[in-house]
């Protein structure tokens, strides 16, 4: 290890890896540290029974940004996976996102006009003028039947509170289509890196020193003294020792099992949309890669309350937490040596493509390109 680097990068996740790759390419030196015992942050995948298991939740790369798509394709070949989750409501199976296949199964609607008429009928009876919460927004969008069978139970399990207390914008992420198209995303580019995300990140940081199982805060002064600049991708409130309070997250717990069957559920993602089933979904990892192994690995995903010290998954971007984040952000201005980036340091629900985009922009700015 050297004693002096141009950049110390705290966090070997996607943001840290893109940043490191770019500064190295520009001739700068850098060192990456991570408190986990592996690289790749939350997109980490590991092989179990020869199947790539997405340890921190299912990750599908999708983007509308052609430059980002070209960028990641330098480090991995992507397969033809198109995310088409299905919903299991007490044994009834529906296609997602809400599309003609869903409307056909729900009401027998065959044409787009028939489906629109059905939704219109349900809307008339239950219409909410300028909905302030997810319940009103969802009923206006797809009617009461779909709300009751495919939205309410899933959403309340996922967020741990009633739909009447959840912001309306959350449901707007989901496409509603009057075509028979089960692609969950509208983006033109989509896939899963062949060989897993960990290999993709490995290629990004090839030739760069990485120190694992090392918490930056345990010896912050030592690490700071070793670099001109620090790129910090951990939680922003932790950096400032939680002086204004703790930013909240929603957490997840995965129960992963190897099953002695080649095909458990016939799809990578099955959402359990009723209220009684305690988990929100089951992931069958091999289907992300069209795997033909003799066994299979599944993960039941449970949504949980988060407390300090738990793994932070989804930031709770409500007004209270966003205001708290702004207070921390104001403190970053006095930190001339430190660059804050990524989903934890910016407290934003960034998809992977956005992380690549913002990391590339930031490096460009810093290198003066
Ligand atoms: P992270 O991956 O969190 O990396 C931060 C790293 O910093 C971690 O490795 C951490 O250990 C390290 N660190 C933190 N504090 C310290 C410290 N004090 N010292 C040393 N190291 C530290 N995006 C998609 O595009 N498609 C999807 O399908 C998708 N699915 C998702 C599913 C789930 C359940 C979740 C939670 C997210 C999903 N995402 C998805 C988003 C995706 O995970 C993120 O965009 C991406 O992982 C963010 O990368 P990052 O580098 O900012 O953060
Ligand atoms: N959603 C739902 N039923 C489903 C899938 C999603 O009601 O079967 C709603 C739910 O409110 C969720 C939102 O759509 O919070 C966004 O879903 P998405 O799959 O984008 O969430 P992710 O888990 O990927 O963050």
């Amino acid at each position: 290890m050297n004693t002096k680097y141009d950049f110390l990068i705290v966090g070997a996740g996607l943001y840290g890896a893109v940043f490191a790759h770019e500064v190295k390419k520009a001739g700068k030196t850098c060192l990456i540290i991570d408190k986990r015992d592996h690289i790749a942050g939350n997109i980490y995948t590991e092989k179990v029974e020869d199947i790539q298991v997405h340890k921190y939740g299912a990750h599908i790369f999708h983007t509308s940004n052609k430059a980002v798509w070209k960028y990641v394709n330098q480090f991995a070949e992507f397969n033809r996976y198109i995310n088409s989750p299905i919903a299991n409501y007490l044994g009834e199976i529906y296609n997602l996102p809400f599309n003609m296949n869903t409307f056909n199964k729900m009401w027998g609607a065959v044409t787009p006009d028939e489906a629109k008429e059905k939704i219109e009928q349900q809307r008339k009876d239950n219409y909410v003028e300028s909905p302030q919460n997810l319940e009103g927004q969802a009923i206006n969008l797809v009617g009461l039947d779909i709300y009751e069978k495919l939205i309410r139970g899933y959403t309340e399990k996922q967020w741990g509170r009633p739909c009447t207390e959840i912001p309306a914008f959350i449901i707007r992420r989901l496409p509603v289509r009057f075509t028979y198209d089960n692609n969950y995303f509208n983006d033109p580019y989509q896939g899963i890196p062949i060989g897993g995300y960990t290999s993709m990140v490995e290629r990004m940081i090839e030739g760069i020193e990485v120190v694992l199982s090392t918490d930056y805060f345990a010896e912050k002064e030592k690490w700071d003294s070793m670099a001109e600049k620090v790129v910090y991708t951990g939680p922003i409130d932790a950096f400032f020792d939680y002086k204004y309070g703790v930013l909240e997250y929603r957490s997840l717990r995965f129960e992963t099992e190897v099953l002695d069957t080649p095909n458990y559920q016939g799809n990578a993602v099955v959402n359990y949309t009723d209220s009684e089933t305690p988990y929100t979904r089951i992931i069958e990892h091999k289907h992300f890669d069209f795997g033909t192994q003799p066994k299979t690995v599944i993960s039941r995903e449970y949504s949980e309350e988060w407390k300090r010290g738990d793994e932070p998954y989804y930031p709770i971007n409500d007004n209270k937490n966003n205001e708290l984040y702004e207070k921390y952000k104001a403190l970053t201005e006095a930190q001339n040596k430190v660059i804050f980036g990524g989903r934890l340091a910016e407290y934003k629900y960034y998809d992977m493509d956005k992380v690549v985009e913002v990391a590339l922009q930031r490096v460009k700015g810093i290198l003066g390109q």
Side-chain angles (χ1 to χ4, degrees), residues 86-87 96 98 134 150-152 154-155 158-159 170-171 173-174 184-185 271 273 281 301 314 349:
I86 56 173
L96 295 170
F98 310 126
L134 192 142
L150 304 183
I151 298 175
R152 190 165 60 82
Y154 184 87
T155 305
Q158 190 178 16
W159 295 99
I170 287 187
I171 197 78
R173 289 166 57 114
L174 227 62
Y184 203 64
F185 302 115
N271 292 357
T273 56
R281 53 189 172 188
E301 185 173 319
Y314 299 107
Y349 186 84

Side-chain angles (χ1 to χ4, degrees), residues 93-242:
I93 297 294
Y94 295 92
N95 285 109
L96 295 170
F98 310 126
N99 73 77
M100 283 306 298
N101 289 305
T102 328
F103 309 140
N104 178 264
K105 181 82 185 259
M106 189 70 71
W107 303 309
V110 171
T111 63
D113 281 348
E114 283 170 24
K116 282 180 188 162
E117 200 186 307
K118 192 75 199 175
I119 291 176
E120 201 45 54
Q121 246 175 34
Q122 296 212 343
R123 233 188 230 148
K124 247 196 311 213
D125 300 339
N126 305 285
Y127 193 78
V128 182
E129 200 65 46
S130 48
Q132 297 302 308
N133 60 53
L134 192 142
E135 177 170 289
Q137 177 75 38
I139 295 174
N140 283 4
L141 208 62
V142 284
L144 197 61
D145 290 346
I146 291 185
Y147 172 67
E148 285 296 342
K149 287 190 168 182
L150 304 183
I151 298 175
R152 190 165 60 82
Y154 184 87
T155 305
E156 293 187 347
K157 283 192 288 190
Q158 190 178 16
W159 295 99
R161 59 202 79 183
C163 284
T164 46
E165 289 173 23
I166 298 171
F169 79 86
I170 287 187
I171 197 78
R172 287 187 213 124
R173 289 166 57 114
L174 227 62
V176 177
R177 294 195 192 108
F178 293 92
T179 53
Y180 287 91
D181 177 1
N182 295 328
N183 186 343
Y184 203 64
F185 302 115
N186 287 325
D187 295 319
Y189 310 105
Q190 187 172 173
I192 307 271
I194 295 169
Y197 287 96
T198 306
S199 299
M200 177 179 96
V201 172
E202 245 162 38
R203 269 179 226 128
M204 283 179 174
I205 61 175
E206 213 169 274
I208 294 170
E209 282 176 83
V210 183
V211 182
L212 295 174
S213 307
T214 300
D215 189 334
Y216 169 61
F217 295 115
E219 287 182 287
K220 183 171 180 298
E221 277 176 24
K222 176 187 113 181
W223 296 114
D224 285 348
S225 72
M226 286 172 64
E228 289 298 316
K229 290 262 181 205
V230 175
V231 179
Y232 177 77
T233 73
I236 189 166
D237 50 357
F239 187 92
F240 295 106
D241 205 16
Y242 306 98

Side-chain angles (χ1 to χ4, degrees), residues 11 14-15 34-35 42 58-60 215-216 343 350-352:
L14 187 59
Y15 190 98
D34 201 298
K35 66 178 180 187
N42 273 9
H59 279 78
I60 299 107
D215 189 334
Y216 169 61
R343 72 179 186 106
Y350 277 146
D351 275 335
M352 290 179 276

